[in-house]
Amino acid sequence: MRTQVAIIGAGPAGLLLSHLLAQGGVESVVLETRSEEYVAARIRAGILEHSSVELLEAAGLGARIRAEGDEHRGIYLQWPGERHHLDFVDLTGRSVWVYGQTEVQKDLIAARRADDQEIHYEVSDVALHSLEDRPYVTFTDVSGNPRRLDAAVIAGCDGSFGPSRAAVPAARVHERIYPYSWFGILADVAPSTDELIYAWHPNGFALHSMRSESVSRLYLQVPNGTDPQSWSDDRIWDELSTRLGHGQNGWKLNPGPITDKSVLPMRSYVQTPMRHGNLYLAGDAAHIVPPTGAKGLNLAIADVALLGRALIAKFRDADQRYADAYSDDAQRRVWRCTHFSWWMTTMLHTSGDEFDAELQLSQLRWVAGSRAGATGLAENYAGLPIGY
Ligand code: FAD
Ligand code: DHB
């Protein structure tokens, strides 16, 4: 098989890249280890920033976001006894959208189907070869046949466990592991809030998010290694009530049937450069952020916006300049989001140290109480322009 761009991974980065390339007249083939049903159902991120929505709309993928997504003006920031609303639209003119990654993924799969995009699901033994010359990928297809895919370019969109990242020799890696994880639940109950609540509490951080008018998504800071099945539903709701301030100024957290429990370890990871020869990395293949700033999915979309433009210029106009600039261009935003995600994480997660707690509370009061402080958070959360 031969194509212009071999895309490894059918997550949001890989599928959006193949969609943008097709719109620019560039051919691609996508390889994915999991099944189509599995990638469409994986529960992950929930917030799209302003420029992600703009990009998806411009790519013809905005209809369901507009119809079924929920536009939010901002978030609540709280600590015991206080809840403050930060209005991003008022502060920056930009909003965010609650629209689950599962929905983005379904829209992308439908769009790729409509285009007859070649996607090989349930492949194995994916290996990258000859990256500096005539690259190709070998793999075993779903029927067990060995296959070879030749391409001018390989796009490594295979997330944090795929083989692309390791195919960049002598890459520099920057990493921070956090001493806590997020325990996430999905519940069949109407959200108890109109906008997300990010809560600092001496017991640990809690977040109230949502997926729809009848589905809530909530998170608790827990120690690393926590087994999600070791927490009963009652214990989860009790702890969420405590940390989110049930009873505070008459506010109530409505519990409901829990349909999913998972624990997500937290780390920051940046690999530089994001290119080696004819291999380009995008999304989680090149960087991981802790989820507190809701940046992981948005950063994958921003990478792909740059990479799509670069590869279209390369193939359609024989212009290599954007491709050569891609890694440096992408890394500017990667480091901005890496800083913001680290900053939100360290401001909101407790360590048991009283000095840290006082610094966090002081910072929270300043962010919530000062227009300058609030604008800094709002600008980063609602997202910088794609070309930042
Ligand atoms: P992925 O979505 O990981 O896609 C990579 C794809 O490559 C996958 O489909 C994978 O199966 C495939 N693949 C892997 N190996 C191979 C191979 N050898 N060959 C072919 N294909 C391969 N972000 C937030 O902002 N908020 C959240 O709440 C949040 N929750 C998360 C929960 C979990 C459990 C995880 C893992 C991530 C979460 N994230 C969250 C991060 C966000 O989901 C990611 O940043 C986003 O999915 C990145 O998209 P991607 O396409 O780069 O990578
Ligand atoms: C969600 C996840 C996040 O990481 C975040 O900061 C906000 C919301 C969510 O899954 O809804």
Side-chain angles (χ1 to χ4, degrees):
M1 278 188 289
R2 173 173 292 281
T3 189
Q4 286 176 304
V5 183
I7 299 177
I8 307 181
L15 289 185
L16 180 60
L17 181 64
S18 82
H19 183 80
L20 297 177
L21 291 177
Q23 290 187 325
V26 176
E27 263 180 28
S28 66
V29 170
V30 182
L31 305 179
E32 166 63 51
T33 43
R34 303 287 194 162
S35 67
E36 183 179 307
E37 298 70 39
Y38 183 91
V39 297
R42 238 174 345 204
I43 299 160
R44 288 185 170 177
I47 303 291
L48 291 178
E49 59 184 44
H50 191 88
S51 41
S52 299
V53 174
E54 274 179 351
L55 181 103
L56 292 169
E57 281 197 315
L61 296 163
R64 244 172 29 97
I65 301 177
R66 290 277 164 202
E68 295 172 34
D70 192 13
E71 186 172 18
H72 282 199
R73 290 185 69 93
I75 58 166
Y76 296 101
L77 208 51
Q78 81 166 43
W79 54 97
E82 306 222 18
R83 178 176 294 171
H84 297 264
H85 186 241
L86 272 59
D87 189 317
F88 301 160
V89 177
D90 175 36
L91 292 163
T92 68
R94 297 159 83 80
S95 60
V96 295
W97 286 74
V98 171
Y99 192 69
Q101 182 167 332
T102 43
E103 304 311 310
V104 174
Q105 188 81 30
K106 282 177 200 150
D107 294 344
L108 285 165
I109 289 172
R112 302 320 303 124
R113 275 233 180 108
D115 268 0
D116 281 330
Q117 169 69 43
E118 190 173 341
I119 305 180
H120 296 262
Y121 288 103
E122 298 181 66
V123 304
S124 50
D125 309 321
V126 173
L128 294 73
H129 307 274
S130 189
L131 298 173
E132 286 174 279
D133 184 17
R134 292 166 181 227
Y136 63 96
V137 185
T138 51
F139 63 98
T140 304
D141 71 17
V142 63
S143 311
N145 303 312
R147 305 282 294 264
R148 170 175 166 145
L149 173 61
D150 287 90
V153 160
I154 298 177
C157 302
D158 43 357
S160 49
F161 301 111
S164 298
R165 166 187 285 187
V168 178
R172 275 181 297 137
V173 167
H174 306 271
E175 188 169 24
R176 172 134 324 163
I177 311 275
Y178 299 88
Y180 30 72
S181 301
W182 273 19
F183 187 171
I185 64 154
L186 208 56
D188 279 339
V189 60
S192 302
T193 177
D194 58 341
E195 295 194 341
L196 274 64
I197 305 171
Y198 284 79
W200 183 97
H201 190 277
N203 291 8
F205 170 71
L207 170 63
H208 190 332
S209 181
M210 59 208 67
R211 286 292 179 274
S212 69
E213 281 171 10
S214 56
V215 176
S216 296
R217 177 86 168 136
L218 298 109
Y219 298 95
L220 287 167
Q221 174 188 343
V222 290
N224 285 343
T226 298
D227 171 6
Q229 301 314 326
S230 69
W231 281 58
S232 69
D233 292 10
D234 286 347
R235 181 178 176 204
I236 294 170
W237 286 114
D238 283 351
E239 194 58 27
L240 285 166
S241 297
T242 303
R243 297 190 195 179
L244 289 167
H246 179 87
Q248 193 174 299
N249 297 320
W251 182 79
K252 287 191 172 38
L253 178 66
N254 299 320
I258 295 175
T259 57
D260 188 82
K261 296 180 188 175
S262 61
V263 168
L264 171 69
M266 296 171 78
R267 65 177 173 145
S268 299
Y269 176 101
V270 181
Q271 178 167 317
T272 317
M274 289 165 64
R275 174 186 176 193
H276 169 62
N278 294 308
L279 167 68
Y280 297 79
L281 302 180
D284 278 18
H287 41 71
I288 305 288
V289 288
T292 325
K295 288 288 161 237
L297 170 60
N298 292 294
L299 206 44
I301 291 174
D303 280 355
V304 164
L306 293 177
L307 185 55
R309 176 186 72 175
L311 296 180
I312 291 166
K314 175 183 171 73
F315 287 106
R316 198 175 56 188
D317 311 326
D319 179 353
Q320 181 69 27
R321 280 175 305 167
Y322 291 116
D324 289 342
Y326 167 69
S327 179
D328 288 346
D329 286 352
Q331 289 263 318
R332 272 176 64 77
R333 189 190 194 85
V334 168
W335 276 109
R336 177 87 304 282
C337 293
T338 299
H339 173 264
F340 177 65
S341 305
W342 165 87
W343 179 77
M344 286 285 280
T345 300
T346 51
M347 177 168 72
L348 287 162
H349 292 72
T350 50
S351 65
D353 182 291
E354 283 191 24
F355 182 75
D356 284 349
E358 291 301 337
L359 291 180
Q360 289 175 321
L361 286 166
S362 171
Q363 181 161 276
L364 283 163
R365 282 184 212 107
W366 175 69
V367 168
S370 139
R371 193 168 174 93
T375 306
L377 189 152
E379 194 170 278
N380 282 281
Y381 194 107
L384 295 149
I386 291 284
Y388 170 81

